[in-house]
Amino acid sequence: MGAAFGGELSAVDPMVRRSERADYQADLAMGLAKSLKRAPRQVAEAVVANLDLEGVAERVEIAGPGFINFTLAQSFLETALGTLAQDAALGIVPAERPERVVVDYSAPNVAKEMHVGHLRSTIIGDALARLLGALGHEIIRQNHLGDWGTPFGMLIEHLVDVGGADRSGADAGADAEADVGELSEFYRAARAKFDRDPGFAERARRRVVLLQSGDPQTLALWKKLVDVSKKHFRALYQALGVLLGDDDIRAESFYNPMLPDIAADLERRGIARESDGALCVFVPGFENRDGEPLPLIVRKQDGGFGYAATDLAALRYRTQELLATRLLYVVGTPQQQHFAMVFAVASLAGWLAPPARAEHVAFGSILGPDKKMLKTRAGESVRLAALIGEAIDRAEAELRARDPDLDADTRRALAAKIGIGALKYADLANDRIKDYIFDWERMLALEGRTGPYLQYAHARIRSILRKAAEAGIERAEAPPAIALTEGAERALGLELLGFGGAVADAAESLKPHRLAGYLYDLATAFTKFFESCPVLRAPDESTRAARLALCELTAAVLARGLGLLGIEAPERM
């Protein structure tokens, strides 16, 4: 670019993409034509005239109005694959400037069971943490549990009732934990009692005061609720294969002592002011439906703090204490305005200043067949534990039908990998911004864009490699040369070389579906290769060795790619 049009354009993205008409296509001429005031084809001709691709491309052509098509030289492609096969990173290039990145995801509420609404935040956030970590960024996972606020007075007082403790809360009964086991039922029971029993409601309000003032007995009961809830969350994270642990929890209660200072700091800076008894920030550019300034309420009329204050405290903590330069909030699209206002206030206060920046990683909803929010037949949110259980049960039923002789323990363990993989891939394969329709049959199918299809491709390759070992075909000490004599071999090789770019693209765009789509294309290319290029029955030993090397490299890339999405790659299926 610099040679063709001057150094100021040397950093322009050449927009190179895979193409059906060649190995790769560059589209930059179309975008530059207007700024250069030249026809796109003239721009393309100038670019091609200044290219030095000797030994890299065997053919460069200009197509249509100005597309530049490249066909790689066979020797270059084979050498690149040989290099990739010996690269432990499989072509993933570390970021030039690694950052400390906070990824805020999952964020369930204490004393409430996780439901389908938590699925997307949990698995998208986990995938992004893995992807960014693979590029060398330092990842700090943050699970912002909802464990504070006025509902806990109601919950703690109900725990006193069901646990048999005296009204001071000094000795909660031994059965209290068991009674809280069904978290959603516990919450509903407390809510119903609060609504119908004025005496209970008054006791609950007093509990809020005791909780906020640090009363030891009330805090002990609150901690019991938190501990039972964390046990529930841990079990679901483990079942999902999500890398969130207790050390990653920074709950609302953690920030509670910081809230008065947040308010005082905003007042001191002249950013917040009182309005109708509440402390508010009127963020420039935000208005309500009537065109009036829209406030971000930091402190409520009653002196309490809402979740906006907590989010501000969390942001300040992450930039000032954790020294993170990038904050990712993996939260549903409906919170878009809230986070935009929080980020704006933090910027005004100087807590979010370059190089630090915050991004709301929004996502759409999971819909049922009726294209409405996925619910149970009773109209309630689907429990996440039930969803996970059904995924595993359905996968186990499929395995039993295909291989009735498989022992029960092996079948159940494999069903967990397939069922959870199907659940996660069905979500991650969709652009996170969009809603998607939940469909068990489609997501568990062994064909099409599904997790089981990718897992089966990996398992098939591992089977080929096992059969090679059983046949006495030993691996050479040095990796064999990869020769691409067939079109299907070449197509597979080109896909393999795209892995590092696909990982970088998914991480930088914060869109895991780009890696999910790449892995599907890779598995499809392998299937075509497998069907047209005999491996163990190759025509000669060198061809067999080269094809086995392609198989091994493909299995490694599939396993690594699936792992970056948080999906296991079984050895057998």
Side-chain angles (χ1 to χ4, degrees), residues 165-178:
D166 60 33
R167 288 297 162 200
S168 70
D171 183 26
D175 294 334
E177 182 170 329

Side-chain angles (χ1 to χ4, degrees), residues 20-88:
E20 295 180 358
R21 300 180 181 276
D23 291 340
Y24 295 96
Q25 183 178 86
D27 300 346
L28 77 167
M30 315 303 290
L32 284 175
K34 186 175 181 179
S35 60
L36 292 172
K37 297 180 180 179
R38 298 170 67 176
R41 193 171 182 91
Q42 290 180 334
V43 174
E45 289 170 351
V47 171
V48 171
N50 285 275
L51 286 176
D52 181 10
L53 296 177
E54 184 176 355
V56 176
E58 66 179 29
R59 188 167 62 254
V60 180
E61 299 173 323
I62 299 173
F67 300 112
I68 305 173
N69 291 334
F70 302 85
T71 299
L72 297 181
Q74 189 80 349
S75 59
F76 174 83
L77 182 54
E78 291 172 347
T79 300
L81 285 169
T83 301
L84 182 65
Q86 298 179 65
D87 180 9

